[in-house]
Amino acid sequence: MQIETAPYDILNYLPEGILMVDERGVILFANEAFSEMVGYENSILLGLNILSLLADIDVFAECIAKVMAEGKSLDANTDFLHRDGTIIKGIKSVRMIQNNDQIRFFVNVRNLSEINRLNKELRDSKELIEYQANELSALLSSKNNELEEILGSIDEVIWYIDNKTLSLQYVNNAVEEIFGFTQEKFLTDKSLWQEQIHPDDRSLVKMFFETLIAGQSHEIRFRIIRHDGEIRWLNSRIHHHPTLHLFIGITTDVTSTKSQSDEIAFLAYHDPLTQLPNRAKLKLQLENYFEYSASSKFTLLLLDLDNFKNINDTMGHETGDKILIEVSRRIVETAGKNNFCARFGGDEFVVLLHDTDIESVDLFANELIQIFKTSLTINEIDFFLSTSIGIVFYPQDASNSEDLIKHADTAMYEAKKKGKNQFIHYHTSMQHAIHNFLHIEALVRDGLSQNLFELYFQPLIEGKTLLLEGYEALLRLPHPKEGFIPPDIIISVAETNSDILLIGKEVLKQACDFIITLRELRQEPFFVAINVSAKQLHQEHFARDILHYLNERSIPTSFLKVELTESAVMENIDIASIQLTQLKEGGVRIALDDFGTGYSSFAYLAQLPINTLKIDKSFILPLFEGNSNRHIVKAISNLAHVLGMSVTAEGVEEKEHFDFLIENQVDTLQGYYLCHPLPKTEILKKFKNSAPYFTPVPSLGYTI
Ligand code: C2E
Ligand code: CA
Ligand code: CA
């Protein structure tokens, strides 16, 4: 069956929410569209009861009762509750699947508000997917069957093609309705789909594929000509899968007899949120520049907002959307009428500037940096953003749109690497730094095979006494060719495969080396905190292995502390709780890292054996911007103490931060104001130079 090679996560690219719940309503599976709809991370949804997400429990209960009594599918209008408390109008269909004595409910949710907003009359939202009972009973028997059945009964066209040859590998049977040829015909003639694209849109589609970077998803609208000559407008959301070498897409027909083709044309080339030209339009604009004026010169600036994901994660997409609208307004205002601006992707914008002399371009890039200096106020909360900008010149730096964008992206990445909030011009020496997923993966492998990984240590200071309590071990990968690769990028790539486990082992080993060396120099107790990712924590013998290793190296367990993020713990609370209890009983301390940025259930928190809450630096850095962060910090500090935990603040960059935190009983402090992360040799040097304690030197800041 074709579907065997299909990535299971294809369900995550569906625009509709898909859920599977058991007979008690506990969510066993939820795709990303549903997570996004309700504003919770997927890992948190699993295990939650669907009832907690419903605005009206009775309607759902009635619906389930009917489905159970009549044994068939039922559609109902249901309102869901978003995490931020807003109500989402939805339609769902519920179907019961029974296999042996297991009962599962399969829930398919369409977000009406979203559909209405984006597509208005373009889609008929009442047309729900009808699932056949006997088809769905196969859901439980095998994952492949499950996928095939789901894909087969959905009215969006789902497909994937080879990323090199663009030949079709799979398409579901919805293709027939839109294209007019059968699924079989498409699967036999693997380039048939390309021939159906409207000749005027072919180069657009081609360019789209050429510039879709591995690991990213984007949307495109284009026309096809059916075999009966009818023209249809399609919208495709396409993902470039980084490891399977596939483009995976979901295509819907957005043609409507009612709608004006002008409006569709506008939608095809504009981003519905900001009304700015989209990627497709940018490509056309670039092609125009290349084609119609051979002597044309221009500058392309690619902006990527810094840490925008944090805002989306903590404040919800609605706030994120408002910020993007305001940001785009400011960019357009700065760029002026004569320069072209586009929204390139989620939080990425492109400006095409007619100026090409370096001074004016730098002046302009500076203006763009400056527009973020004024806070954005959304729902009475002030947000302080910044942006990193990559700059390329045409024709010097690249001669086609693909390379222009690739090089701008490379330069932008350099700006991020150098500390964000700045612009950088592309230079050929950066060419190696193409930061796609596979590239980083290769660097991680280099790091492991050539023992390049190293730990830096950042002191943690006790607020009351100003004495050194311990260190956080932070991973560094100084790559001979690439310089320092940011650890969060390394970790996010390594977490997709088992490299993270090897990295984790290396970190534990080097942290223990450090503890042993330091114990020879220092009589007082201290700890070294290591960061542990979800995948490590969920290994069966995680706690046992750590305790065993410490024992093997004769290190008392109190010298080690483990930092875990809330989401890592919540991903599987049962396993996490067993592992953490075992660690704590063994004497290893536990801190909950990045506290405040994820989902926290205080009920869970109180039950877990956690010693320390570590307030995320995104609250500390802008501590004095607006009032809310100071309130949050005070509240977390109180909460921790009520729960019998200590509290640590990271990202202490200024004296004012330091003073405020001490005043508010934050127990432990960490940040550049006190000391940057340093290599092991530097820390040891400080000790050998007879500075055994952290000593505050108020006039100069603090040193160890
Ligand atoms: P984290 O665990 O939240 O680590 C704290 C980060 O804050 C570190 O970034 C540190 O250098 C930075 N930092 C410390 N003081 C200040 C300050 O005053 N201002 C600012 N702006 N930043 C400060 P770093 O070293 O880049 O690490 C980033 C993230 O990468 C870490 O965030 C952690 O999530 C991950 N990471 C680092 N090492 C490891 C590791 O060994 N294993 C795992 N699983 N993750 C790691
Ligand atoms: Ca940490
Ligand atoms: Ca942290």
Side-chain angles (χ1 to χ4, degrees):
M1 201 188 328
Q2 288 288 335
I3 200 72
E4 268 163 28
T5 53
Y8 187 60
D9 61 5
I10 198 163
L11 291 179
N12 284 328
Y13 302 114
L14 285 180
E16 303 178 354
I18 296 200
L19 284 177
M20 180 145 40
V21 302
D22 70 9
E23 70 279 15
R24 295 164 302 160
V26 174
I27 298 174
L28 304 174
F29 171 82
N31 70 346
E32 277 178 11
F34 186 78
S35 307
E36 198 166 312
M37 212 181 281
V38 291
Y40 288 97
E41 270 175 39
N42 194 278
S43 55
I44 288 148
L45 283 176
L46 303 186
L48 274 189
N49 198 300
I50 190 173
L51 297 180
S52 61
L53 301 170
L54 294 168
D56 186 347
I57 294 173
D58 291 347
V59 175
F60 184 77
E62 204 175 293
C63 180
I64 292 277
K66 269 199 190 144
V67 171
M68 285 185 87
E70 295 166 23
K72 60 178 185 192
S73 134
L74 202 78
D75 304 339
N77 281 314
T78 307
D79 294 346
F80 284 84
L81 278 178
H82 189 274
R83 182 182 175 187
D84 64 15
T86 53
I87 288 186
I88 306 148
K89 296 239 164 275
I91 291 187
K92 67 171 164 31
S93 69
V94 179
R95 173 156 291 283
M96 183 173 74
I97 312 146
Q98 203 158 6
N99 194 336
N100 303 326
D101 50 358
Q102 274 187 311
I103 293 179
R104 297 285 183 262
F105 293 96
F106 192 75
V107 186
N108 182 257
V109 190
R110 283 191 171 190
N111 181 346
L112 283 180
S113 339
E114 186 70 2
I115 291 170
N116 291 343
R117 185 169 73 82
L118 289 179
N119 287 331
K120 296 195 192 80
E121 75 279 18
L122 295 183
R123 280 179 58 170
D124 181 4
S125 54
K126 281 188 232 70
E127 210 183 83
L128 278 165
I129 303 160
E130 252 308 305
Y131 291 97
Q132 295 302 310
N134 48 359
E135 275 179 29
L136 280 167
S137 60
L139 266 169
L140 291 177
S141 55
S142 109
K143 268 193 176 169
N144 286 341
N145 281 345
E146 173 180 322
L147 256 184
E148 181 67 77
E149 300 302 345
I150 296 172
L151 298 185
S153 53
I154 274 169
D155 56 6
E156 265 92 14
V157 184
I158 295 167
W159 48 267
Y160 50 91
I161 59 178
D162 184 280
N163 72 350
K164 295 258 156 26
T165 61
L166 302 188
S167 83
L168 186 74
Q169 309 289 303
Y170 172 79
V171 66
N172 66 347
N173 56 21
V175 71
E176 186 169 350
E177 171 68 26
I178 294 179
F179 283 76
F181 290 114
T182 61
Q183 179 188 22
E184 286 71 36
K185 179 120 178 77
F186 276 103
L187 290 172
T188 348
D189 184 352
K190 293 180 185 306
S191 58
L192 176 64
W193 71 271
Q194 296 184 45
E195 292 157 26
Q196 287 199 274
I197 297 172
H198 193 296
D200 290 352
D201 290 350
R202 280 186 195 156
S203 65
L204 177 78
V205 174
K206 185 167 165 279
M207 270 191 297
F208 180 90
F209 283 116
E210 281 169 3
T211 54
L212 185 57
I213 294 171
Q216 292 194 344
S217 305
H218 283 291
E219 275 185 44
I220 178 175
R221 284 191 187 204
F222 59 94
R223 287 161 295 176
I224 55 156
I225 307 183
R226 279 166 57 98
H227 76 310
D228 56 11
E230 193 191 328
I231 294 179
R232 296 250 179 125
W233 273 99
L234 305 185
N235 185 71
S236 292
R237 179 161 179 76
I238 301 173
H239 176 72
H240 189 171
H241 201 289
T243 49
L244 294 169
H245 308 295
L246 295 173
F247 291 114
I248 302 171
I250 294 165
T251 298
T252 38
D253 187 344
V254 292
T255 321
S256 154
T257 43
K258 275 182 277 159
S259 52
Q260 302 286 320
S261 61
D262 281 359
E263 188 184 347
I264 298 181
F266 181 82
L267 284 175
Y269 292 111
H270 290 81
D271 162 43
L273 181 70
T274 60
Q275 303 288 308
L276 281 184
N278 61 9
R279 272 168 77 90
K281 181 74 183 174
L282 170 70
K283 304 282 165 47
L284 282 187
Q285 186 79 8
L286 288 170
E287 290 299 301
N288 274 342
Y289 283 178
F290 302 149
E291 219 168 283
Y292 297 115
S293 54
S295 60
S296 75
K297 284 179 176 178
F298 60 86
T299 310
L300 185 152
L301 296 97
L302 176 69
L303 287 80
D304 187 295
L305 305 188
D306 299 329
N307 310 324
F308 181 71
K309 193 177 166 293
N310 275 348
I311 294 185
N312 253 353
D313 289 352
T314 52
M315 307 301 298
H317 284 274
E318 223 169 284
T319 305
D321 282 356
K322 285 184 185 156
I323 288 178
L324 289 172
I325 292 170
E326 175 58 16
V327 164
S328 67
R329 200 191 55 74
R330 291 187 187 183
I331 293 174
V332 169
E333 202 177 283
T334 311
K337 278 206 180 67
N338 294 329
N339 297 308
F340 175 92
C341 303
R343 180 170 175 211
F344 189 65
D347 60 346
E348 288 181 330
F349 296 88
V350 164
V351 180
L352 300 180
L353 194 69
H354 293 299
D355 275 325
T356 49
D357 74 277
I358 292 193
E359 263 173 41
S360 338
V361 170
D362 284 1
L363 212 64
F364 176 71
N366 245 326
E367 276 177 48
L368 288 176
I369 301 268
Q370 291 306 320
I371 59 177
F372 291 93
K373 292 279 182 276
T374 322
S375 69
L376 285 90
T377 311
I378 309 285
N379 302 340
E380 295 176 7
I381 301 175
D382 290 339
F383 290 92
F384 286 82
L385 279 105
S386 62
T387 184
S388 301
I389 307 176
I391 301 176
V392 280
F393 292 105
Y394 176 83
Q396 299 94 306
D397 291 333
S399 58
N400 58 46
S401 46
E402 188 188 353
D403 286 348
L404 272 171
I405 287 168
K406 210 163 74 187
H407 293 172
D409 202 44
T410 305
M412 186 273 291
Y413 176 65
E414 282 293 314
K416 295 249 183 217
K417 243 170 66 173
K418 291 216 158 78
K420 305 176 181 167
N421 192 25
Q422 55 190 292
F423 63 86
I424 301 244
H425 290 263
Y426 172 75
H427 186 268
T428 43
S429 64
M430 299 173 189
Q431 225 157 12
H432 304 289
I434 305 160
H435 67 287
N436 64 37
F437 180 91
L438 294 176
H439 182 66
I440 301 286
E441 197 176 38
L443 298 181
V444 170
R445 298 271 155 88
D446 286 354
L448 285 167
S449 62
Q450 299 168 34
N451 286 330
L452 299 175
F453 283 110
E454 204 187 308
L455 290 183
Y456 273 40
F457 297 92
Q458 187 176 30
L460 280 95
I461 308 303
E462 188 181 15
K464 266 198 216 116
T465 58
L466 300 182
L467 294 178
L468 177 83
E469 266 184 48
Y471 300 87
E472 175 173 7
L474 294 158
L475 190 69
R476 295 291 179 264
L477 173 54
H479 195 275
K481 289 205 200 88
E482 311 269 343
F484 281 87
I485 325 286
D488 29 8
I489 293 185
I490 295 172
I491 299 295
S492 65
V493 170
E495 273 175 342
T496 62
N497 54 48
S498 53
D499 287 348
I500 188 67
L501 302 179
L502 299 173
I503 292 178
K505 273 202 179 131
E506 182 61 24
V507 168
L508 180 63
K509 180 193 162 289
Q510 291 194 25
C512 287
D513 292 346
F514 181 67
I515 294 173
I516 290 174
T517 319
L518 205 62
R519 281 188 78 197
E520 287 165 11
L521 294 167
R522 201 185 137 89
Q523 309 303 320
E524 297 75 15
F526 66 93
F527 63 80
V528 171
I530 55 170
N531 290 285
V532 166
S533 76
K535 220 168 173 168
Q536 292 171 267
L537 176 69
H538 295 134
Q539 272 180 296
E540 204 186 335
H541 298 306
F542 170 71
R544 203 194 65 182
D545 288 351
I546 288 189
L547 294 171
H548 186 250
Y549 187 74
L550 289 173
N551 185 33
E552 215 173 66
R553 301 198 58 180
S554 312
I555 298 174
T557 49
S558 62
F559 281 84
L560 191 74
K561 195 160 179 172
V562 181
E563 294 194 0
L564 291 152
T565 61
E566 291 171 275
S567 52
V569 173
M570 295 295 171
E571 197 171 306
N572 188 332
I573 186 88
D574 296 334
I575 296 183
S577 162
I578 294 170
Q579 299 289 359
L580 296 185
T581 308
Q582 210 175 332
L583 274 184
K584 181 145 189 215
E585 280 170 2
V588 172
R589 272 171 291 173
I590 297 151
L592 208 53
D593 205 355
D594 300 349
F595 188 77
T597 60
Y599 164 87
S600 357
S601 156
F602 291 158
Y604 278 133
L605 265 185
Q607 287 164 23
L608 288 172
I610 291 164
N611 302 87
T612 306
L613 293 186
K614 206 166 168 189
I615 309 175
D616 190 63
K617 57 180 174 296
S618 63
F619 298 105
I620 309 296
L621 293 172
L623 196 59
F624 291 97
E625 294 161 6
N627 292 325
S628 56
N629 288 330
R630 271 168 290 157
H631 288 308
I632 292 171
V633 169
K634 278 188 193 177
I636 297 179
S637 174
N638 288 336
L639 170 78
H641 293 140
V642 169
L643 293 176
M645 301 171 187
S646 70
V647 57
T648 300
E650 62 177 22
V652 182
E653 284 193 1
E654 316 276 346
K655 179 169 189 320
E656 289 71 29
H657 296 158
F658 182 83
D659 293 342
F660 174 86
L661 295 165
I662 300 242
E663 207 171 288
N664 286 283
Q665 285 80 45
V666 171
D667 305 290
T668 309
L669 304 155
Q670 172 187 5
Y672 297 164
Y673 176 62
L674 301 156
C675 189
H676 279 259
L678 297 171
K680 179 177 171 178
T681 45
E682 291 291 317
I683 300 262
L684 296 179
K685 228 191 269 167
K686 283 183 192 280
F687 271 98
K688 292 199 175 120
N689 292 345
S690 74
Y693 297 107
F694 162 82
T695 37
V697 183
S699 54
L700 303 170
Y702 293 79
T703 56
I704 59 162

